[in-house]
Amino acid sequence: MTELVLAMDGPAGSGKSSVSKAAARRLGWAYLDTGAAYRALGWYVVQRGVDPTDAAAVIDSLPDFDYRVGTDPDGYHVFVGEHDVTTAIREPEVTAVVSAIARVPEVRTFLTGLFRDIVRHSEKPGIVVEGRDITTVVCPDAPVRILLTADEAVRMARRAAELTEHSAAHVGEALRRRDAADARVVDFMNAAEGVTTLDSTDLDFDQTVDAVLAVVQNVVQKETHG
Ligand SMILES: Nc1ncnc2c1ncn2[C@@H]1O[C@H](COP(=O)(O)OP(=O)(O)OP(=O)(O)O)[C@@H](O)[C@H]1O
Ligand SMILES: Nc1ccn([C@@H]2O[C@H](COP(=O)(O)O)[C@@H](O)[C@H]2O)c(=O)n1
């Protein structure tokens, strides 16, 4: 049973996945990427020939959505049924439809239940859970809650630096469009009460991971020494 939850939210490209994974590795904790589930559902409905903007049809797909995700930061795999979709869910075709899936309230309720189950059944001493509504909806009582931000231009530059066949302008525009659509559903640009904002604009990757671990350390010390 997991003792400690580190909840992390932030906009696209802020570093949630990579920083959470590295933090989980350093802490010896589990790691849960919640965006992977929204992406996998997007992949699944497209495979079934369902229009991702047809909310009723998407809801009809939920009972057969057989989703499994690894929580080991070193052995991370995403399955839908027998299909390993770890790579496929990162393709631009899936990224383009995921916000339409994520705005359906029934989808959010279904996946939130699934995330809470995974957290409950994790056997590591702690778990890092990252997404858009983890600090506010999925794990609002987590002892450590962080909003990871970075200036939009910096996030775009980091994304553009990744190997891709698309131009920096295209990558940047897609990121901005997705954030705008997602922000209509959940607020991940402003920290809720009690959530620590960590701005990584002027930090490199290792400094950002160190800053996350410092927040965790702080909370653990307070819990231990009162
Ligand atoms: N502080 C940092 N300095 C430099 N590069 C960083 C930093 N944090 C993250 N990165 C890099 O930025 C890119 C985006 O990070 P990542 O994929 O973790 O973001 P994300 O918030 O999970 O994005 P998305 O929501 O789109 O999945 C990656 O290439 C990552 O290595
Ligand atoms: N808690 C979450 C996590 C993700 N989403 C939606 O999924 C998309 C993909 O997320 P990534 O973190 O992999 O980029 C994201 O754009 C959201 O539409 C969500 O709604 N809530």
Side-chain angles (χ1 to χ4, degrees):
M1 182 72 169
T2 293
E3 297 286 332
L4 264 174
V5 176
L6 161 48
M8 186 183 292
D9 290 324
S14 59
K16 299 177 303 296
S17 321
S18 49
V19 169
S20 294
K21 209 182 280 180
R25 211 173 273 137
R26 295 247 311 256
L27 289 161
W29 288 9
Y31 159 70
L32 179 60
D33 169 3
T34 61
Y38 286 93
R39 288 172 178 275
L41 182 60
W43 176 89
Y44 180 63
V45 300
V46 169
Q47 288 292 309
R48 294 182 107 193
V50 167
D51 173 0
T53 64
D54 180 346
V58 170
I59 294 166
D60 281 348
S61 304
L62 289 175
D64 295 329
F65 178 53
D66 176 18
Y67 178 72
R68 278 167 292 132
V69 64
T71 56
D72 178 349
D74 288 317
Y76 167 82
H77 276 278
V78 183
F79 279 88
V80 176
E82 294 313 307
H83 299 277
D84 183 341
V85 297
T86 313
T87 309
I89 61 170
R90 306 284 153 200
E91 295 296 331
E93 295 72 24
V94 172
T95 305
V97 303
V98 71
S99 297
I101 302 285
R103 71 167 167 248
V104 180
E106 288 83 349
V107 166
R108 303 201 71 81
T109 304
F110 178 88
L111 292 182
T112 295
L114 193 144
F115 301 146
R116 288 182 180 153
D117 259 11
I118 294 174
V119 170
R120 244 192 315 273
H121 291 106
S122 168
E123 286 173 356
K124 295 274 180 79
I127 185 165
V128 185
V129 188
E130 57 94 359
R132 302 290 188 293
D133 61 347
I134 312 306
T135 61
T136 51
V137 177
V138 178
C139 304
D141 300 325
V144 190
R145 292 184 298 153
I146 295 175
L147 181 73
L148 184 63
T149 63
D151 286 354
E152 189 178 77
V154 169
R155 291 188 282 115
M156 286 181 177
R158 288 175 185 166
R159 267 272 175 267
E162 293 170 344
L163 265 186
T164 162
E165 73 247 32
H166 296 283
S167 69
H170 177 92
V171 170
E173 189 41 43
L175 182 142
R176 189 183 292 134
R177 216 177 314 116
R178 187 153 60 96
D179 271 351
D182 291 340
R184 284 198 281 270
V185 181
V186 279
D187 185 3
F188 49 81
M189 299 304 275
N190 304 291
E193 207 186 327
V195 175
T196 304
T197 300
L198 180 51
D199 186 342
S200 75
T201 304
D202 298 316
L203 303 179
D204 68 21
F205 184 80
D206 290 338
Q207 288 171 327
T208 309
V209 177
D210 286 344
V212 167
L213 294 179
V215 177
V216 176
Q217 197 59 41
N218 210 359
V219 171
V220 170
Q221 257 163 15
K222 270 191 197 143
E223 290 208 342
T224 313
H225 302 295

